[in-house]
Amino acid sequence: MLQESFLRVYDKLKSEFCRQVFALVRERRGSLSAMEAFSLEVIRQLGRPTVSQFAAFLNISQSNATYKVANLIHKGYLEKENSGADRREYYLVLTPKYYGYVGTLERDMCEAVRRVEERHSPSEVSELSALLDEIVDNIGSAPATSGDGVQNQA
């Protein structure tokens, strides 16, 4: 039951994210490609990564990551911020232009959470939050399974 419910939430979030990505991708000069939109989402998830951290996360070459970052800077979705300590190192920072495009999805998610908080007691909301934290903490650390939920043998 919990697994089915969580997979429904996950599928809904994926489909909403894809819808948002396609809203970002337009057939006009200066628009984002789907790969650029996904790259921006990775940068967002990483916080303020360096180009090296971005490249390592995606398992791509430093030169490939640098090329992607340069294009996103040129289009106005990303800026480089000097680290201060090591002036050769830069952090990748999303711009207001990016947040203007993705803000709708975040607002929708916040509204859905607000409605849940209104309908349930603080202790129920706290318990749900703890369960979601536990699920997040276990993503990526669980053994691989086949599509039917059966654990694969290594």
Side-chain angles (χ1 to χ4, degrees):
M1 183 173 115
L2 176 61
Q3 184 175 6
E4 290 169 3
S5 295
F6 184 77
L7 290 175
R8 282 187 25 240
V9 168
Y10 177 67
D11 286 342
K12 182 72 171 183
L13 290 172
K14 280 192 309 187
S15 63
E16 287 299 311
F17 173 72
C18 290
R19 187 174 60 83
Q20 190 70 34
V21 166
F22 279 97
L24 286 170
V25 178
R26 299 280 186 247
E27 298 297 324
R28 63 179 187 271
R29 184 179 158 103
S31 68
L32 292 172
S33 69
M35 186 58 69
E36 288 171 331
F38 284 116
S39 294
L40 286 170
E41 184 60 23
V42 167
I43 291 167
R44 180 176 175 264
Q45 294 297 317
L46 292 173
R48 293 176 23 180
T50 62
V51 174
S52 296
Q53 291 167 330
F54 172 63
F57 183 84
L58 291 178
N59 198 27
I60 60 176
S61 69
Q62 179 82 17
S63 60
N64 189 347
T66 301
Y67 176 78
K68 289 180 188 316
V69 165
N71 284 338
L72 293 168
I73 290 170
H74 177 75
K75 292 180 178 184
Y77 293 95
L78 198 58
E79 294 174 343
K80 289 194 318 189
E81 182 180 285
N82 199 294
S83 70
D86 181 353
R87 304 208 49 77
R88 296 170 297 167
E89 187 171 68
Y90 292 89
Y91 295 111
L92 304 177
V93 180
L94 299 166
T95 65
K97 183 176 182 179
Y98 167 80
Y99 287 107
Y101 279 108
V102 298
T104 303
L105 181 59
E106 283 189 9
R107 283 190 297 276
D108 290 349
M109 294 300 118
C110 289
E111 179 60 24
V113 170
R114 186 190 62 74
R115 288 192 302 262
V116 167
E117 289 174 329
E118 285 178 351
R119 294 178 187 145
H120 297 277
S121 72
S123 64
E124 289 174 316
V125 171
S126 179
E127 188 174 339
L128 174 61
S129 182
L131 289 171
L132 290 173
D133 287 344
E134 186 175 338
I135 290 169
V136 168
D137 291 345
N138 283 290
I139 290 176
S141 63
T145 60
S146 63
D148 59 4
V150 176
Q151 184 173 330
N152 293 334
Q153 300 298 318

